[in-house]
Amino acid sequence: MAGDVTSSDERLAALTSWHHDWRGLRVAVFGLGVTGFSVADTLAELGADVLVVAARADQERAMLLEVIGAELLEQADLSAPPERLVEFEPELVVVSPGFHWDHPLLLWAASQGVTVWGDIELAWRLRDKVTGPDGSPADWICVTGTNGKTTTVQLTATMLLAGGSRVAPCGNIGVPVLDAIRDPQGFDVLVVELSSYQLHWVNRNRGGELSPYSAACLNIADDHLDWHGSLEAYIAAKAKVYENTQVACVYNRADSTTLRMVEEADVVEGARAIGFGLDVPGPSDFGIVDGILCDRAFLEDRRNSAIELTTLDELAEAGLAAPHVVANILAASALARSYGVEPQVIRDVLTAFRLDAHRIELVRVEAGVSWVDDSKATNPHAADASLRAYTSVVWVVGGLLKGVDVGQLVAAHAGRLRGAVLIGVDRAELLAAFERHAPGLPVLEVDADETEGVMPTAVRLAGGLAREGDTVLLAPAAASMDQFADYAERGRLFQAAVNEFFGGEADDDDSASTPSGA
């Protein structure tokens, strides 16, 4: 048994500040990716005794662990607790998001009565390391959802920055929250992207309950069911984003699940529900009236008037008019307005903002055919949004399906498909879905064993199917790790293959096509 459980629990419940005494606390950190290293580095700085347990370790991070005084236990087989971990008798485990909730090491920790935190809970407890002039730590604006998180976080952070706040986008977006809260310059507000993996571990322990300034769940669809075990468990994890929210719970009017999450959340008294959607907004909502994006939430006479933020025509000029991107813009605007950002600031930001690479990114236009890279569409929900933006599509699809059903996606879009090109290893479900819902559609396959030449072959096959007015769309509806390092590599290789297919880089005067759903 790991120490005196009762006294250990009491100590952990009381550790709610950077300035409390963390010295000598025995902490096992599971995982040594970007998040795991940030956890180990933070705890070592606090004086805790840190043992990092990882199946494999990046050499540079392993060397840095030695420098900061943390111990590394690298063992390929973690199906049972290593002897050194048992000997260490951790009082606390901090788990990286990649560790499945029923991993043997976590089951062992539970059997021993060892408390488990995620990196988000640790960061919340330590958020007062650097404070503002009034002695307060940075506020947190939290964003989750199946799709659109990163774009919404980037938009929100850019709006807040333009509005005069010191802001850091962090979390699942790539910068660990623990790095942000330790930045010596300090911030007024953190915009935190939270995955379902991270949310699974929050609000489980006394003293570590998150209380965001504002929070949003953008949408819910089947995803990561292989990790959570069921859609219900996935939704329950996502719903935690609204717990203890102080000012605004931003939800998607087109997704009743997000509204139900808000209705069931235990929030701070006075927190408001703010809906966003592509339809006409009601009082306390954000939406669209006659092509104008409107705020009917943060003004005095919200029952009889609205504030104009921008127009669909202006968004089209900036390449931001795809419906799912407009929804993200409305959500980000609601979050920014909840923090006091002026409407004109939001309009100015949207004039200059551009999407990240591999998000409905136009690669080139040749012979009236648009080639679009949406490699970031790693699940059916994201692919659905992408497909809806175009009228006639040659669809490049496939990869690791993560246990989700693609049948409804194929059925919904069979009428807009010119053809499909299958990549990736999970073929059977896709083939069955096309045969069932689009039996006459040309469906071509890239050999699943052909990893190096997959994109040149996919582009060649797609080029043979496409006709003037079509869009060749890479929207895989699947994860990439079967054939690529990540979605970014998948997108880069697609773009390179497209350019090679047409004999070099596109000319600067190639014209972009506006998505039809704008």
Side-chain angles (χ1 to χ4, degrees):
M1 192 71 174
D4 185 332
V5 174
T6 303
S7 60
S8 180
D9 285 350
E10 292 301 321
R11 182 185 182 188
L12 291 172
L15 289 174
T16 57
S17 168
W18 181 276
H19 307 290
H20 291 165
D21 186 5
W22 296 76
R23 290 173 300 175
L25 183 71
R26 296 188 306 280
V27 187
V29 178
F30 290 171
L32 191 58
V34 173
T35 298
F37 181 79
S38 73
V39 171
D41 190 30
T42 301
L43 290 165
E45 185 178 349
L46 287 163
D49 293 336
V50 180
L51 173 67
V52 178
V53 182
R56 55 188 174 277
D58 172 83
Q59 188 174 0
E60 183 178 355
R61 292 194 191 110
M63 290 170 52
L64 288 171
L65 282 185
E66 187 174 347
V67 171
I68 65 176
E71 180 184 349
L72 172 62
L73 172 58
E74 184 178 2
Q75 182 172 305
D77 182 7
L78 294 176
S79 59
E83 185 178 341
R84 175 64 189 123
L85 176 61
V86 176
E87 291 173 351
F88 184 67
E89 291 192 332
E91 300 167 89
L92 171 67
V93 165
V94 182
V95 60
S96 297
F99 269 71
H100 199 287
W101 61 271
D102 62 356
H103 189 283
L105 294 193
L106 291 168
L107 296 179
W108 169 81
S111 72
Q112 300 299 298
V114 181
T115 299
V116 178
W117 296 350
D119 68 301
I120 300 302
E121 176 170 351
L122 179 63
W124 180 258
R125 290 171 183 263
L126 299 174
R127 68 192 185 282
D128 63 349
K129 182 181 192 294
V130 182
T131 57
D134 64 351
S136 299
D139 294 312
W140 287 28
I141 291 177
C142 295
V143 179
T144 195
T146 302
N147 295 298
K149 297 185 293 295
T150 299
T151 298
T152 303
V153 165
Q154 291 172 332
L155 277 163
T156 305
T158 305
M159 293 171 181
L160 290 165
L161 181 65
S165 295
R166 298 172 304 154
V167 59
C170 55
N172 196 53
I173 196 171
V175 177
V177 186
L178 284 161
D179 288 357
I181 62 108
R182 291 185 295 156
D183 191 310
Q185 70 175 347
F187 299 100
D188 299 313
V189 58
L190 306 180
V191 186
V192 186
E193 178 181 324
L194 293 173
S195 70
S196 60
Y197 302 165
Q198 290 170 310
L199 284 165
H200 174 86
W201 297 108
V202 304
N203 296 349
R204 300 162 64 97
N205 304 291
R206 282 187 302 136
E209 300 89 348
L210 270 65
S211 182
Y213 181 91
S214 292
C217 183
L218 304 174
N219 43 61
I220 289 292
D222 289 3
D223 197 20
H224 302 302
L225 304 190
D226 52 347
W227 198 96
H228 291 278
S230 69
L231 179 60
E232 291 73 25
Y234 176 65
I235 291 172
K238 290 290 194 185
K240 290 184 178 183
V241 76
Y242 292 121
E243 294 297 324
N244 309 310
T245 296
Q246 301 169 31
V247 174
C249 296
V250 176
Y251 70 94
N252 185 345
R253 288 199 307 279
D255 190 326
S256 60
T257 301
T258 66
L259 172 59
R260 188 167 67 251
M261 289 175 175
V262 173
E263 291 173 338
E264 295 175 356
D266 185 7
V267 301
V268 174
E269 187 174 353
R272 294 171 56 195
I274 308 293
F276 71 89
L278 303 179
D279 53 354
V280 175
S284 202
D285 287 344
F286 282 63
I288 301 175
V289 179
D290 295 331
I292 299 171
L293 277 68
C294 297
D295 166 9
R296 287 191 68 187
F298 296 102
L299 68 164
E300 284 191 18
D301 187 17
R302 59 179 183 262
R303 295 202 167 273
N304 301 301
S305 59
I307 298 173
E308 178 176 334
L309 299 173
T310 188
T311 68
L312 290 176
D313 287 343
E314 289 174 340
L315 293 180
E317 289 179 13
L320 301 174
H324 60 295
V325 177
V326 176
N328 294 337
I329 287 168
L330 289 165
S333 299
L335 292 169
R337 290 286 289 142
S338 79
Y339 209 74
V341 177
E342 294 297 326
Q344 186 59 48
V345 171
I346 290 174
R347 189 173 206 136
D348 292 344
V349 164
L350 293 172
T351 300
F353 187 85
R354 296 296 179 268
L355 294 172
D356 274 358
H358 317 300
R359 289 173 173 82
I360 57 169
E361 182 179 358
L362 181 67
V363 181
R364 66 192 294 156
V365 180
E366 293 285 346
V369 176
S370 300
W371 295 76
V372 175
D373 168 13
D374 197 15
S375 183
K376 184 63 170 66
T378 58
N379 56 58
H381 189 266
D384 174 73
S386 192
L387 286 161
R388 288 182 188 280
Y390 305 97
T391 54
S392 183
V393 176
V394 176
W395 185 18
V396 182
V397 56
L400 292 173
L401 292 174
K402 299 183 289 186
V404 301
D405 178 20
V406 292
Q408 289 184 336
L409 180 65
V410 174
H413 296 288
R416 75 177 73 234
L417 296 180
R418 171 83 65 185
V421 177
L422 272 55
I423 62 175
V425 298
D426 285 354
R427 297 292 176 82
E429 288 184 50
L430 276 168
L431 286 168
F434 281 113
E435 186 175 341
R436 186 165 61 252
H437 300 294
L441 187 77
V443 177
L444 308 179
E445 296 185 66
V446 179
D447 189 339
D449 296 327
E450 187 182 349
T451 54
E452 216 168 282
V454 58
M455 281 308 177
T457 302
V459 166
R460 175 176 56 79
L461 294 174
L465 292 172
R467 302 291 180 266
E468 183 176 355
D470 289 348
T471 297
V472 176
L473 176 65
L474 172 67
S480 57
M481 287 77 75
D482 55 337
Q483 294 180 317
F484 308 95
D486 50 29
Y487 79 83
E489 183 186 56
R490 180 169 61 188
R492 285 194 301 270
L493 290 174
F494 174 75
Q495 294 193 21
V498 170
N499 287 321
E500 184 179 350
F501 184 66
F502 290 106
E505 293 293 328
D507 294 333
D508 290 340
D509 60 355
D510 274 347
S511 60
S513 62
T514 300
S516 63

